Amino acid sequence: MNILIIGGGAMGGSMALRLFSCDHEVAVFEREKQTNNMLRDRGIKTGRHLEDLLVKRDLVILAVPMNVEEALLEELNFSSTVMDVASVMTPFQKIARRRMLRFVSGHPMAGNEFAGSAGWDVHIFENRPFLLSPSPFANQDDIDTVIEITNCLGSRPKIVEPLSHDRMLSRISQSIYYLSRAAIVLGRGFEEYTGPGFASTTRLGKQNQEMVVDMARYNGSNIVESLKEAESYLREVRMAIESGDLEELNKIIQR
């Protein structure tokens, strides 16, 4: 399969290296010169002119920040299947529907706290869910193409509905970032005494800040609702502890 990946960061670079190892023909468009050099050193084709790279591709993968993806979906003329790896689906599905793109939202439930080439990991997708949502103009061949790619990555593809996906992700990931940041704030100044529990709790709070801001931009209403629920739960915990009502505290914990 002939694949173009737009973006050579942690996600795009990891996908490029893994798909190249599956004998796909892979090219990457990336503006950062050092990243291009590193990709070429590993056998991945790169190019300076995006419009030229778009020609005669079976699949184009958008692995860029969400604000950049929005612009690309609005501006570029795609003649092939298009897939993204964004952690929000609904806003991009709306653009794809309006432009009648053969678009499949794709969200690999994988990642790390590193940005750019520091986050490249060909094993990062293995045995992880890869959530997919075809737009109305994606045909069965487009869906089969994307599923073939997710299988190559070692992921477990699962079809979801965009609105449900965005609400779910706000609850299991995007709002949890802020709870992880709260742990970082609480532990500030005591890092030398922390153990593995603190490390695992704070890992999510160390992820790419640009991506976190994009999540708030494109899925803010769901994140707000999730944070309100978290606030309510923590308030109940605090009030039970303040009042010394350990029986109530046990009930809250076990709920």
Side-chain angles (χ1 to χ4, degrees):
M1 193 182 301
N2 194 323
I3 302 166
L4 171 64
I5 300 175
I6 303 178
M11 279 290 121
S14 296
M15 294 183 83
L17 295 171
R18 179 68 179 237
L19 295 175
F20 182 72
S21 74
C22 295
D23 295 325
H24 292 293
E25 184 176 341
V26 180
V28 174
F29 177 78
E30 167 59 50
R31 296 189 183 278
E32 212 280 315
K33 184 177 180 180
Q34 183 178 1
T35 301
N36 280 327
N37 291 337
M38 294 174 68
L39 287 166
R40 284 195 295 269
D41 288 344
R42 301 192 185 199
I44 306 295
K45 297 177 182 178
T46 64
R48 296 182 179 180
H49 304 292
L50 179 54
E51 288 77 9
D52 294 340
L53 289 171
L54 283 170
V55 177
K56 295 182 180 179
R57 301 292 175 182
D58 300 308
L59 175 66
V60 176
I61 300 174
L62 305 179
V64 291
M66 285 186 271
N67 62 317
V68 177
E69 177 180 343
E70 180 180 13
L72 293 177
L73 287 175
E74 290 282 12
E75 296 168 6
L76 293 180
N77 293 316
F78 299 99
S79 59
S80 61
T81 312
V82 184
M83 169 188 176
D84 71 355
V85 293
S87 59
V88 180
M89 291 186 175
T90 305
F92 308 114
Q93 284 278 341
K94 289 180 179 178
I95 298 172
R97 188 179 300 113
R98 174 164 46 80
R99 297 203 64 206
M100 296 185 288
L101 300 177
R102 292 160 49 201
F103 178 74
V104 180
S105 294
H107 181 201
M109 297 300 292
N112 55 46
E113 65 270 34
F114 303 110
S117 59
W120 290 353
D121 181 357
V122 296
H123 302 293
I124 198 170
F125 307 103
E126 291 178 358
N127 298 314
R128 304 299 307 163
F130 204 118
L131 307 180
L132 303 171
S133 186
S135 77
F137 296 96
N139 58 42
Q140 190 58 51
D141 286 342
D142 299 322
I143 297 168
D144 291 343
T145 292
V146 168
I147 289 177
E148 179 181 345
I149 291 305
T150 61
N151 287 335
C152 171
L153 295 172
S155 301
R156 294 182 280 111
K158 181 175 177 59
I159 303 295
V160 298
E161 194 275 329
L163 289 172
S164 298
H165 167 275
D166 293 351
R167 182 174 183 272
M168 174 179 69
L169 262 293
S170 77
R171 300 174 72 85
I172 65 174
S173 176
Q174 294 163 0
S175 62
I176 305 303
Y177 165 84
Y178 297 99
L179 300 181
S180 182
R181 288 300 307 175
I184 291 173
V185 171
L186 289 174
R188 193 163 289 154
F190 308 106
E191 290 86 355
E192 65 179 300
Y193 307 107
T194 61
F198 185 81
S200 60
T201 301
T202 56
R203 186 195 69 80
L204 188 61
K206 297 174 183 176
Q207 68 179 323
N208 187 315
Q209 188 170 333
E210 181 182 9
M211 180 173 63
V212 170
V213 174
D214 263 355
M215 291 174 187
R217 178 181 292 114
Y218 292 103
N219 201 30
S221 59
N222 282 316
I223 294 172
V224 166
E225 288 305 309
S226 298
L227 288 174
K228 285 179 178 178
E229 189 169 334
E231 287 175 354
S232 177
Y233 176 80
L234 291 174
R235 187 180 301 111
E236 288 185 65
V237 170
R238 176 179 58 79
M239 292 176 64
I241 295 173
E242 281 180 344
S243 65
D245 191 344
L246 301 185
E247 182 177 348
E248 178 62 19
L249 179 61
N250 268 312
K251 291 179 181 178
I252 295 169
I253 294 171
Q254 293 170 15
R255 195 165 61 208

